[in-house]
Amino acid sequence: MIRANDNYSKLKASYLFSDIAKRVNEYQANNPGTHIIRLGIGDVTQALVPAVIKGFHEGVDEMAKDATFRGYGPDQGYLFLREKIAENDFKSRGADISPDEIFVSDGAKCDTGNFQELFATDIKVAIPDPVYPVYLDTNVMAGRTGEFEDNRYRGIVYMDCLKENNFLPKLPKEKVDLIYLCFPNNPTGSTATKEELKLWVDYAKENKALILFDAAYESYIRDEDLPKTIYEIEGAREVAVEFRSFSKTAGFTGTRCGFTVVPKDCMIYSAKGEKVSLHSMWNRRHTTKFNGVSYPVQKATEAVYSQEGKSQIKEQIAYYLNNADVICKTVESLGFDYVGGKNSPYIWVDGNGRDSWEFFDLLLTKASVVCTPGGGFGRCGKHYIRISAFNSFENVTLAMERVKEALK
Ligand code: PLP
């Protein structure tokens, strides 16, 4: 008898964004012609910048001639791209990462989801609440949790991120083996200083634990003092893996490219306590289950690091951050507390005790504006909503005018 992986039955029945889509579609059907402004799902809205399109075209043109055609490429990514990444994203910030520690992939969702495969089932996993749901759900699928009760999976160590702790997870009281961190954070938009990250690196070293650091939004960091990579922290090479994405950096949500950094110093342990190279394990996994990102996409990604690419992308990010400023000012003028929006495209708004779905419905029905109810990211998001800066300036301005009118 073919048996199902019963862990899947523990997963919450529906996905946050399909619930939102259902409510939005219903509202649209009942209010035909209404212009709904979507500041919910974190998807970019601006086209790829000209330098990236040029790189993309060059890659496609090379594929059109036998002499320059490429078939299967290196599973880890072309060296021309990994060299650019190592130089621009790490060495330029004093972080010692070499091209052969970089694994190019089709995005951070797959990598953050797949990476847990390398660990035993009975490890203790610490996950922030609220959280990007992929970390949690993939551990549920792998059987590292018990049932879902009272909005939480049994067996997971949840790290509450609340106003009291500046939306930063605190070091867990009990010993954990695997720690998920994400800065700038989705959904809260909070950031962590070098000193704050150092506490985690020290904790991981002391406890033979590993940090999975999701830096998908690092390009939104404006504050010069904030770290853009965990490898700016001394000792992180031994205890941290970093995930990056070109989705929010360069508008690649539909183009698909990201990468994972696994330093060669990173060790995990066998059941007998012997050291195992995480780099070798991920290399084995990646080369067995992944066949590389397409050549034109890697050429397009390489262009992200050209002079024109860098300046065009900087402008695009400034555009979204300007939208974020508009949202922050509106939220503030209405008397709501919030975090994020400064070094992040997300603004996490405290609904003053209002349930997050109730707040969502209010904005949808009174302002025709879509946000994301914080409850969908975990128990600690129950009284928050997330507003995203990914839309046109005109739509964001109009949405904020409507929100002001609806809530005044
Ligand atoms: N990590 C975080 C924190 C995200 O918010 C997202 C996307 O929203 C991803 C990873 C996924 O990125 P990608 O598009 O590269 O799969």
Short mmCIF file of all heavy atoms in Angstrom, two decimals, residues 41 43 48 71 90-91 101 103 163 167 208 225 272 372 374 383 403:
data_model
loop_
_atom_site.label_atom_id
_atom_site.label_comp_id
_atom_site.label_asym_id
_atom_site.label_seq_id
_atom_site.Cartn_x
_atom_site.Cartn_y
_atom_site.Cartn_z
N ILE A 41 0.61 40.87 -0.47
CA ILE A 41 1.67 39.92 -0.80
C ILE A 41 2.95 40.69 -1.18
O ILE A 41 2.90 41.73 -1.83
CB ILE A 41 1.20 38.96 -1.93
CG1 ILE A 41 2.14 37.76 -2.06
CG2 ILE A 41 1.02 39.68 -3.24
CD1 ILE A 41 1.57 36.62 -2.86
N ASP A 43 5.21 41.03 -3.37
CA ASP A 43 5.77 40.84 -4.72
C ASP A 43 6.07 42.20 -5.34
O ASP A 43 5.25 43.12 -5.25
CB ASP A 43 4.78 40.07 -5.60
CG ASP A 43 5.44 39.53 -6.86
OD1 ASP A 43 6.66 39.76 -7.05
OD2 ASP A 43 4.75 38.87 -7.65
N LEU A 48 12.20 44.69 -14.57
CA LEU A 48 13.65 44.50 -14.44
C LEU A 48 14.34 45.73 -15.02
O LEU A 48 13.88 46.31 -16.00
CB LEU A 48 14.08 43.26 -15.24
CG LEU A 48 13.53 41.91 -14.76
CD1 LEU A 48 13.88 40.80 -15.76
CD2 LEU A 48 14.05 41.56 -13.38
N GLY A 71 24.64 24.06 -22.67
CA GLY A 71 23.73 23.02 -22.18
C GLY A 71 23.72 23.06 -20.66
O GLY A 71 23.68 24.14 -20.07
N PHE A 90 30.27 40.24 -0.35
CA PHE A 90 30.96 39.79 0.87
C PHE A 90 32.32 40.46 1.05
O PHE A 90 32.53 41.16 2.03
CB PHE A 90 31.05 38.25 0.87
CG PHE A 90 29.67 37.65 0.86
CD1 PHE A 90 29.10 37.17 -0.31
CD2 PHE A 90 28.91 37.64 2.01
CE1 PHE A 90 27.79 36.68 -0.32
CE2 PHE A 90 27.61 37.15 2.02
CZ PHE A 90 27.05 36.67 0.85
N LYS A 91 33.25 40.26 0.11
CA LYS A 91 34.61 40.80 0.30
C LYS A 91 34.55 42.32 0.50
O LYS A 91 35.26 42.87 1.34
CB LYS A 91 35.50 40.43 -0.88
CG LYS A 91 35.73 38.93 -0.96
CD LYS A 91 37.12 38.56 -1.43
CE LYS A 91 37.41 37.09 -1.20
NZ LYS A 91 36.79 36.21 -2.22
N GLU A 101 32.13 28.78 -2.00
CA GLU A 101 31.22 28.62 -0.86
C GLU A 101 29.81 29.12 -1.21
O GLU A 101 28.94 29.13 -0.36
CB GLU A 101 31.78 29.37 0.36
CG GLU A 101 33.10 28.74 0.84
CD GLU A 101 33.78 29.52 1.95
OE1 GLU A 101 33.87 30.76 1.86
OE2 GLU A 101 34.24 28.88 2.91
N PHE A 103 26.39 28.80 -3.58
CA PHE A 103 25.60 27.88 -4.40
C PHE A 103 24.45 28.67 -5.01
O PHE A 103 23.53 29.07 -4.30
CB PHE A 103 25.05 26.75 -3.53
CG PHE A 103 26.10 25.85 -2.94
CD1 PHE A 103 26.75 26.21 -1.76
CD2 PHE A 103 26.45 24.66 -3.55
CE1 PHE A 103 27.73 25.39 -1.21
CE2 PHE A 103 27.42 23.83 -3.01
CZ PHE A 103 28.07 24.19 -1.84
N LYS A 163 6.81 43.89 20.84
CA LYS A 163 7.25 45.27 21.10
C LYS A 163 8.24 45.30 22.27
O LYS A 163 9.24 46.00 22.23
CB LYS A 163 6.02 46.10 21.44
CG LYS A 163 6.16 47.56 21.12
CD LYS A 163 4.89 48.33 21.39
CE LYS A 163 3.82 48.06 20.36
NZ LYS A 163 2.58 48.79 20.61
N PHE A 167 11.00 43.52 18.76
CA PHE A 167 10.75 42.58 17.67
C PHE A 167 11.99 41.77 17.30
O PHE A 167 12.16 41.36 16.16
CB PHE A 167 10.16 43.31 16.45
CG PHE A 167 8.88 44.00 16.77
CD1 PHE A 167 8.86 45.33 17.16
CD2 PHE A 167 7.68 43.31 16.76
CE1 PHE A 167 7.67 45.97 17.51
CE2 PHE A 167 6.48 43.94 17.11
CZ PHE A 167 6.50 45.27 17.48
N LYS A 208 27.10 24.27 19.96
CA LYS A 208 27.24 23.44 18.75
C LYS A 208 25.96 23.48 17.92
O LYS A 208 25.44 22.46 17.45
CB LYS A 208 27.59 22.00 19.11
CG LYS A 208 28.98 21.85 19.68
CD LYS A 208 29.32 20.40 19.84
CE LYS A 208 30.78 20.22 20.23
NZ LYS A 208 31.08 18.89 20.73
N ASP A 225 25.41 51.47 9.61
CA ASP A 225 25.96 50.67 10.72
C ASP A 225 25.41 49.25 10.79
O ASP A 225 25.96 48.41 11.50
CB ASP A 225 25.67 51.37 12.07
CG ASP A 225 26.37 52.71 12.13
OD1 ASP A 225 27.42 52.85 11.48
OD2 ASP A 225 25.84 53.62 12.81
N LYS A 272 27.47 9.97 16.33
CA LYS A 272 28.59 9.63 17.23
C LYS A 272 29.34 10.86 17.71
O LYS A 272 30.34 10.76 18.42
CB LYS A 272 29.58 8.73 16.48
CG LYS A 272 29.06 7.35 16.20
CD LYS A 272 30.18 6.54 15.57
CE LYS A 272 29.65 5.26 14.98
NZ LYS A 272 30.40 4.87 13.78
N THR A 372 -1.70 42.48 4.80
CA THR A 372 -1.62 41.08 5.21
C THR A 372 -1.88 41.00 6.72
O THR A 372 -1.21 41.70 7.49
CB THR A 372 -0.23 40.49 4.91
OG1 THR A 372 0.09 40.77 3.55
CG2 THR A 372 -0.19 39.00 5.12
N GLY A 374 -1.46 40.00 10.33
CA GLY A 374 -0.29 39.47 11.03
C GLY A 374 -0.49 38.09 11.61
O GLY A 374 0.47 37.33 11.74
N HIS A 383 -2.38 40.76 16.57
CA HIS A 383 -2.91 42.13 16.63
C HIS A 383 -2.16 43.09 15.71
O HIS A 383 -2.14 44.29 15.95
CB HIS A 383 -2.88 42.64 18.07
CG HIS A 383 -3.75 41.81 18.98
ND1 HIS A 383 -5.10 41.72 18.81
CD2 HIS A 383 -3.43 40.99 20.01
CE1 HIS A 383 -5.60 40.90 19.72
NE2 HIS A 383 -4.60 40.44 20.46
N VAL A 403 -6.91 55.15 3.41
CA VAL A 403 -6.79 54.59 4.77
C VAL A 403 -7.04 55.70 5.80
O VAL A 403 -7.76 55.52 6.78
CB VAL A 403 -5.41 53.92 4.97
CG1 VAL A 403 -5.15 53.61 6.44
CG2 VAL A 403 -5.30 52.64 4.14
#
